[in-house]
């Protein structure tokens, strides 16, 4: 298949034009999103938590979640480790304290509202948004229910309503986005009697944590969990017990989740640009080889016929 | 289908894979899907484990693993046969040689012979009579025994034990205390210069010219075990000769403690005026500190807690600025650091601070900012004696006199006295919502704190005024008889202007629950213990 | 033991039909349960394990095993290997049915299947690898449909339309390879975002390449496998060319598969080396990894090579089963077995029998449709009206 110069130029032109369509894809870069300025964060001081579950009760009330089997004043549920469920956006878990065996450690677990959330990066309908307040919100009106966000979340937070047929949703902590935009505090923060949860600008939360390290050096592990984990989260933790002993993974690294797939995604334009050229080239080469083989065969036949010129019979053409 | 090699070859490969799997199959247990519980190892914890590290210098490199020698096991076995230490430890100039079957070190080959021949000989003899004994073959001794771990705890004298020895030796200090004369190269007794053995005998054997100071370990075993053994041989009461007697944690607890130890007589002062300049007192300095040396002797178990390198005054070694030579001896520590370094038991501040962690004190003291800048008037609690040039009549009094009188004089002259108006009950109704107001028995709590002061002279000294007790909760405010309410400073939480100040609810709970937790008051750790639930009207 | 004759099959109550009926019946019942009781009624999915065998088998394996389409068409049309021409239409058909069934499986797995067009038309999540997968799969399904359509058009007698479409073959083939490269590798790239959840032996920044290469292996092996089955059951439908070329296809594809498997083995080992993960091989998961790598990659490569060398189509056919199982095993490992490896045993996933039921149901639909098309349309033979068309 031979193409004319005109056709070739036409195709190249069309290909070039097509590159102007569409949004620029996020290729692998060094740029990292460090949060909207003035966005909020929550500092959870694990040394202050006494496991009273007031935060769980407040979350249940503010989000109008169904009543649990055991009331929130029942502290026996702390004997087993729990995770978030479709009816529980946050849980408090109890851990042993090796330094003071008589005072166990409690800490509250919920969505960490990462600066570059894995769920938002993974969602193929952009159902998650990292808002300017710092909250990562979920829009159930576009969710298809593929559950890739649950796969992607390194903290194992999102849950899915598998028992719903027509309206199954992803459920997770919203950082009380509607309340915060009205100037109120998130439900859990407001309810905590010990002020184990502090709310304010993310830079201020880090300042508070560092001030506490300075004032009480023997009380804390000198590390703010969430400052850099997975590129940084909006829920920061400080603790007197090493984080690993609380079941918080210390091996997540500081790379934001979107960067992990940015490399693979950025190869798409390369493949789209190069593969057709490569394959068309291979096709052209193979076609050419065929043609050459054909020509050689014809030549061989023709020369064979020439040597047979002595025969008076009609030359027969073989195709 | 073509017959031939394909089938056997394929089969051969499969066999290869199967073999690989068989060898790999025991790895299936290694990482189960769920984590297996940690297995507790069964170690043999003993205080008498001797490894042969001291022979490292002679042997340079061990060809086989060193044998693990259990000293007490052998002592006990020999005792059963009415044999004593001299079986292995030869006599050296009247005292016991600590080396095995020799008085001085020999070459590698000879050393090996001494150990192997003697050990195996005794073992073989014991086995011959049908009793249990150690190994006779090389590899049975020279093998790793990871199941045996040393539980040896360090041991040292405290004043009670010293007193018991003092009593037993009938006040003959020269029995143990000595100095070294480099000219005559002999040990001699220097009266008035007795100190702890550790001033000269350090962790490792050191050589300073001709004076060789054996390590504390060797010196103490030589001095102590030798004497104990000889005393026991005379059928008198003596200290232990077995390793476990001194180095086992449980046995250490059984050592008799004398209740009130009389003061060691070494010519130490009763009261001292700690000067704050260098020895020559050249420049104007910080106000001096009257110090009751006698009282502090009672509070501590040893002298070396404070007197780290010698029994002289602190300024002998610690200069004002700290020396840049002599950095191993601690002389680089400045005088001020020596007295005030936090976290170190030898400094005044460090020791006092450690006492604040006591359960009776921690309720307030655990929450005080460790790095806070105290008001300069706080220094006056100790630094109360003006320097001589600055005073008139006071400069004529003797230092010791002044040290004794000053605290009382100061209190009478400078200390303010407030009447403390402590309410009996405080109704906290700032946050009534889910719960009824809390009724805080303020008077009862305050009285109990005052009562706790009786247990500690240190606490009484610093809490000379009852109002200082208020500062535990009514903090960041000047001391008066009527401190402000919490709500005066603590309002809504998360105020960006006061980033480090909790809101009113957090303040109450952090202060109250924090104190209860630290002081072990378990009664008041549930919500309704302090405030009853509010019954919903609607 | 082939008993088939050139006549049509004897009766409608054959064993296969009976089994098909049962499977389809059970499948319909489970479908009813799924769409009245939600996912919870028919699956063992949980918040720790949101993806089960509907993703790992129906989606990941289904897409990989349908890769024969682009592999065969590129071999014949782009690389000019005309002797495999008879394998193109069956491969395209397998590919088309495979992708169509993947879309069918998605209707079950996804929470709101009626919203599947949303990522394309309502709101695009372009940061997501899954978006790229969806876009490419949807486009490629269309391409496959168009590539398949000449056979249907020949059957329906739409001569002009058919000739028009055939002119597009090269373009469609190129487009198909481009799309396949992207979505095959992107299915692997889905797991790049979870280094903390996937076992280090299977997690690598090269996962996309691994998935792409194994798709080629799967495609080649599936063509051999499916041609074996076709010859067993539909030989009566095959024409001279098809029957003549059959062994050549088997040997040729076996040779190619041997090379590709060897290359894949090499890059897997290089991946372990570059990640310095040798110490993981000593663990339980390591042994399982070696089973996958040695038993299902190295061994088929060797057996394919032997089969080609001694010219034994039988050996190659059996090896193709092994290779296909290897690709399935690899997909299962990445998605289910080595995924969430750090969770305690109580939280690990095992499929509900109804999930298996639906997967079998979907495969059965594929088999039934394949049989329907192959016995009516010119797949295994050339339509007499278009004999000289290629």
């Amino acid at each position: 298949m031979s193409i004319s110069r005109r056709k070739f130029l036409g195709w190249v032109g069309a290909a070039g034009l097509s590159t102007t369509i569409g949004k620029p894809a996020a290729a692998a870069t060094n740029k990292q999103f460090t949060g909207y300025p003035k966005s909020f964060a929550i500092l959870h001081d694990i040394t202050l938590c006494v496991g009273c579950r007031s935060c769980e009760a407040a979350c249940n009330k503010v989000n109008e979640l169904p009543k649990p089997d055991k009331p929130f004043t029942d502290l026996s549920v702390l004997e087993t480790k729990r995770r978030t469920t479709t009816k529980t956006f946050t849980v408090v878990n109890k851990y042993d304290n090796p330094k003071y065996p008589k005072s166990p450690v409690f800490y509250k677990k919920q969505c960490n509202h990462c600066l570059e959330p894995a769920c938002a990066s993974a969602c193929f309908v952009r159902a998650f948004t990292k808002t300017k307040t710092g909250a990562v919100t979920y829009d159930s009106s576009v969710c298809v229910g593929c559950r890739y966000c649950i796969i992607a979340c390194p903290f194992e937070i999102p849950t899915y309503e598998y028992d719903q047929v027509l309206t199954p949703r992803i459920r997770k902590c919203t950082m009380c986005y509607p309340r915060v935009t009205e100037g109120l505090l998130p439900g859990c923060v407001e309810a905590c009697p010990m002020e184990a949860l502090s709310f304010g600008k993310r830079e201020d939360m880090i300042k508070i944590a560092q001030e506490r390290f300075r004032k009480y050096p023997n009380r804390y592990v000198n590390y703010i969990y969430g400052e850099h984990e997975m590129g940084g989260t909006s829920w920061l933790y400080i603790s007197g017990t090493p984080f690993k002993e609380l079941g918080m993974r210390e091996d997540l690294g500081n790379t934001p989740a979107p960067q992990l797939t940015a490399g693979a995604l950025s190869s798409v334009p390369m493949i789209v640009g190069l593969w057709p050229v490569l394959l068309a080239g291979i096709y052209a080469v193979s076609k050419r080889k065929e043609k050459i083989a054909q020509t050689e065969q014809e030549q061989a036949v023709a020369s064979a016929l020439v040597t047979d010129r002595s025969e008076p019979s009609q030359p027969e053409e073989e195709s | 289908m073509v017959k031939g090699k394909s089938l056997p070859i394929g089969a051969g490969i499969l066999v290869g894979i199967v073999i690989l799997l068989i060898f790999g199959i025991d790895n299936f247990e290694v990482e189960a899907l769920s984590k297996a519980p940690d297995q507790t190892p069964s170690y043999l914890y003993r205080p008498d484990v001797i490894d042969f590290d001291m022979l490292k210098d002679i042997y340079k490199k061990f060809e086989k693993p060193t044998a693990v020698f259990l000293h007490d096991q052998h002592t006990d076995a020999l005792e059963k046969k009415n044999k004593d230490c001299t079986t292995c430890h030869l006599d050296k100039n009247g005292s016991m040689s600590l080396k095995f079957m020799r008085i001085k070190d020999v070459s590698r080959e000879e050393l090996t012979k001494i150990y192997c021949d003697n050990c195996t000989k005794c073992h073989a003899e014991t086995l011959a009579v049908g009793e249990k004994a150690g190994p006779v073959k090389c590899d049975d001794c020279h093998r790793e025994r990871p199941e045996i771990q040393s539980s040896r705890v360090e041991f040292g004298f405290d004043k009670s034990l010293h007193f018991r020895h003092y009593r037993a030796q009938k006040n003959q200090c020269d029995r143990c205390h000595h100095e070294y004369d480099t000219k005559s190269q002999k040990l001699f007794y220097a009266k008035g210069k007795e100190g702890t053995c550790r001033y000269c005998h350090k962790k490792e054997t050191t050589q300073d010219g001709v004076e060789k100071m054996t390590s504390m370990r060797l010196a103490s075993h030589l001095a102590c075990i030798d004497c104990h053994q000889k005393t026991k041989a005379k059928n008198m009461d003596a200290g232990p000769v077995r390793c476990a007697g001194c180095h086992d944690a449980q046995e250490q607890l059984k050592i008799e403690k004398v209740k009130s130890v009389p003061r060691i007589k070494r010519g130490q002062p009763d009261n001292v005026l700690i000067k704050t300049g260098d020895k020559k007192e050249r420049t104007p300095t910080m106000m001096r500190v009257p110090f009751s040396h006698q009282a502090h002797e009672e509070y501590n178990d040893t002298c070396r807690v404070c007197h780290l390198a010698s029994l002289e005054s602190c300024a002998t070694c610690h200069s004002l600025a700290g020396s840049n030579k002599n950095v191993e001896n601690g002389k680089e520590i400045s005088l001020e650091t020596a007295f005030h370094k936090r976290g170190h038991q030898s400094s005044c501040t460090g020791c006092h601070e450690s006492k604040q962690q006591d359960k009776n004190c921690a309720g307030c003291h655990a929450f005080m900012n460790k790095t806070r800048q105290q008001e300069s008037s706080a220094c006056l609690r100790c630094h109360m004696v003006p320097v001589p040039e600055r005073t008139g009549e006071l400069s004529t009094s003797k230092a010791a006199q002044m040290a004794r009188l000053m605290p009382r004089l100061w209190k009478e002259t400078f200390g303010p006295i407030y009447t403390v108006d402590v309410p009996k009950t405080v109704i906290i109704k700032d946050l009534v919502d889910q719960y009824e107001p809390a009724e805080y028995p303020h008077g009862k709590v305050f009285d109990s704190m005052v009562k706790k002061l009786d247990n500690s002279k240190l606490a009484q000294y610093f809490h000379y005024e009852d109002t200082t007790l208020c500062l535990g909760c009514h903090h960041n405010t000047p001391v008066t008889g009527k401190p402000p309410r919490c709500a005066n400073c603590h309002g809504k939480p998360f105020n960006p202007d006061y980033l480090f100040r909790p809101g009113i609810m957090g303040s109450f709970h952090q202060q109250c629950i924090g104190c209860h937790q630290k002081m072990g008051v378990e009664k008041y750790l549930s919500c309704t213990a302090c405030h009853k639930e509010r019954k919903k009207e609607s | 033991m082939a008993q088939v004759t050139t006549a049509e099959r004897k009766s409608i109550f054959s064993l296969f039909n009976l089994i098909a009926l049962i499977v389809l019946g059970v499948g319909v019942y489970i479908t009813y349960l799924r769409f009245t009781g939600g996912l919870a009624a028919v699956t063992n999915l949980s918040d720790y394990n949101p993806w089960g065998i509907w993703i790992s088998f129906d989606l990941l394996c289904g897409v990989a095993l349908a890769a024969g389409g682009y592999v065969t068409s590129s071999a014949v049309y782009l690389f000019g290997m005309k002797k495999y021409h008879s394998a193109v239409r069956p491969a395209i058909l397998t590919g088309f049915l495979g992708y169509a069934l993947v879309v069918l499986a998605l209707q079950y797995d996804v929470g709101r299947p009626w919203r599947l067009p949303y990522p394309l038309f309502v709101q695009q999540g372009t940061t997501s690898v899954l978006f790229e997968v969806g876009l490419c799969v949807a486009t490629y399904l269309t391409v496959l449909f168009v590539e398949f359509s000449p056979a249907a058009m020949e059957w329906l007698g739409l001569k002009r339309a058919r000739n028009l479409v055939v002119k597009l073959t090269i373009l469609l083939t190129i487009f198909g390879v481009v799309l396949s490269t992207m979505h095959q590798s992107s299915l692997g790239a889905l797991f790049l975002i979870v280094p903390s959840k996937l076992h280090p032996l299977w997690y690598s920044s090269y996962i996309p390449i691994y998935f792409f290469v194994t798709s080629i292996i799967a495609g080649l092996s599936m063509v051999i496998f499916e041609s074996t089955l076709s010859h067993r059951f539909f030989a009566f439908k095959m024409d001279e060319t098809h029957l003549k070329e059959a062994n050549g296809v088997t040997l040729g594809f076996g040779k190619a598969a041997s090379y590709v498997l060897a290359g894949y083995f090499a890059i897997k080992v290089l991946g372990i080396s570059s990640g310095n993960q040798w110490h993981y091989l000593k663990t339980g998961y390591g042994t399982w990894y070696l089973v996958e790598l040695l038993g299902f990659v190295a061994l088929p490569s060797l057996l394919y090579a032997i089969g080609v060398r001694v010219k034994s189509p039988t050996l190659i056919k059996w090896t193709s089963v092994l290779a296909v199982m290897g690709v399935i095993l690899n997909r299962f490992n990445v998605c289910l077995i080595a995924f969430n490896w750090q969770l305690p045993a109580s939280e690990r996933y095992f499929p509900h029998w109804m999930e298996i039921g639906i997967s079998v149901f979907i495969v059965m639909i594929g088999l039934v449709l394949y049989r329907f098309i192959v016995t009516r349309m010119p797949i295994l033979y050339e339509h007499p009206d278009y004999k000289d068309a290629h």
Side-chain angles (χ1 to χ4, degrees), chain C residues 227-264:
Chain C
S227 121
T228 312
L229 291 181
S230 294
H231 275 267
R232 176 87 156 63
F233 297 106
F234 303 116
F236 59 92
K237 271 285 177 199
M238 293 179 176
D239 64 3
E240 272 290 329
T241 333
H242 205 110
L243 290 168
K244 213 173 44 171
E245 285 183 359
N247 265 359
V249 169
T250 308
L251 288 169
F253 274 44
K255 189 164 167 190
S258 172
Y259 276 118
V260 180
L261 276 161
Y264 176 60

Side-chain angles (χ1 to χ4, degrees), chain B residues 348-361:
Chain B
C348 312
T349 323
C351 175
H352 290 177
E353 203 179 41
S354 69
K355 301 269 186 259
Q356 284 173 346
Q357 285 165 20
D358 182 81
K359 209 169 74 133
N360 288 326
C361 318

Side-chain angles (χ1 to χ4, degrees), chain A residues 121-122 124-126 140-141 143-148 150-151 153 159-160 162 165 168 249 265 275 283 286 290, chain C residues 35-36 39-40 46-47 50-51 77-78 82 109-112 115 123-125 127-128 181 190 194 196-197 342:
Chain A
S121 159
F124 69 161
V125 282
R126 257 192 297 136
S140 63
S141 68
C143 173
V144 182
C146 72
R147 306 184 301 282
Y148 188 28
I150 307 183
I151 294 271
C153 178
T159 62
Y160 195 63
Y162 291 106
V165 183
R249 296 193 60 168
L265 282 174
W275 247 231
Y283 173 70
S286 72
E290 248 178 65
Chain C
F35 290 104
T36 51
L39 284 163
S46 70
D47 290 327
W51 283 357
Y77 296 125
L78 298 180
K82 294 233 172 12
D109 182 71
V110 141
R112 297 196 223 209
R115 284 193 183 169
Q123 199 166 270
Q124 296 79 27
T127 57
S128 171
T181 311
L190 285 174
V194 284
S196 59
K197 293 191 193 178
Q342 289 170 330

Side-chain angles (χ1 to χ4, degrees), chain B residues 44 98 160 268 272 303 330 355 371 438:
Chain B
L44 210 54
L98 292 175
S160 152
Q268 69 272 38
V272 168
C303 304
K355 301 269 186 259
T371 54

Side-chain angles (χ1 to χ4, degrees), chain B residues 412-516:
Chain B
E412 285 165 9
T413 319
F414 301 111
I417 308 218
Y418 293 99
T419 46
V420 175
D421 184 11
V422 171
K424 270 197 96 170
T425 324
V426 176
I427 313 276
I428 306 177
K429 51 181 187 288
D430 301 72
L431 296 165
V432 167
D433 175 19
Q434 240 187 311
Y435 296 96
E436 299 287 336
E439 294 186 10
Y440 172 51
H442 196 310
K444 209 166 80 164
V445 171
F446 186 79
D447 288 339
S448 79
M449 280 167 66
V450 171
K451 206 154 163 286
K452 284 193 210 294
L453 289 179
D454 288 342
N455 299 335
S456 165
K457 272 184 146 165
L458 179 67
Q460 282 170 34
Y461 183 80
F462 281 100
H463 290 286
Y464 57 96
E465 273 288 321
D466 284 350
T467 47
T468 54
L469 290 172
C470 309
L471 288 174
C473 294
H474 296 280
H475 48 220
N476 296 330
T477 185
V479 173
T480 64
K482 244 192 156 353
R485 293 174 63 234
C486 310
N488 279 75
C489 297
H490 292 279
K492 273 178 76 163
F494 319 129
N495 185 343
D497 291 327
Y498 296 112
L499 262 188
F500 311 125
R501 189 185 293 183
I504 182 72
M505 179 164 73
S507 308
F508 279 130
H509 290 93
Q510 283 177 25
Q511 190 76 27
C512 307
I513 297 183
C515 177
H516 291 168

Side-chain angles (χ1 to χ4, degrees), chain A residues 1 83-86 118 120-127 140-148 150-154 156 158-160 162-169 249 251-252 257 260-261 264-265 268 271-272 275-276 279-280 282-283 286-287 290, chain C residues 34-40 45-51 77-80 82 109-112 114-116 118-119 122-132 170 174 177-178 181-182 189-197 203 208 339-340 342-343:
Chain A
M1 165 180 125
R83 67 153 284 162
T84 52
T85 68
T86 50
S121 159
C123 182
F124 69 161
V125 282
R126 257 192 297 136
S140 63
S141 68
V142 292
C143 173
V144 182
C146 72
R147 306 184 301 282
Y148 188 28
I150 307 183
I151 294 271
C153 178
E156 283 162 348
T159 62
Y160 195 63
Y162 291 106
D163 52 357
Q164 294 293 321
V165 183
L166 293 175
T167 54
R169 299 169 294 177
R249 296 193 60 168
D251 59 344
L252 294 174
L260 293 168
T261 53
L265 282 174
V268 169
I271 297 178
V272 170
W275 247 231
L279 296 166
I282 293 175
Y283 173 70
S286 72
K287 258 283 184 252
E290 248 178 65
Chain C
R34 158 70 179 92
F35 290 104
T36 51
L39 284 163
L45 299 172
S46 70
D47 290 327
Y48 278 119
N49 302 294
W51 283 357
Y77 296 125
L78 298 180
F79 291 86
K82 294 233 172 12
D109 182 71
V110 141
R112 297 196 223 209
W114 52 93
R115 284 193 183 169
L116 272 170
Y118 273 41
V122 174
Q123 199 166 270
Q124 296 79 27
T126 46
T127 57
S128 171
V129 178
L130 198 57
F131 173 75
E132 200 248 301
I170 300 298
I174 293 180
V177 176
V178 172
T181 311
M182 291 201 293
L190 285 174
F191 293 94
L192 286 176
I193 208 170
V194 284
S196 59
K197 293 191 193 178
Y203 182 87
F339 186 77
N340 272 343
Q342 289 170 330
L343 284 184

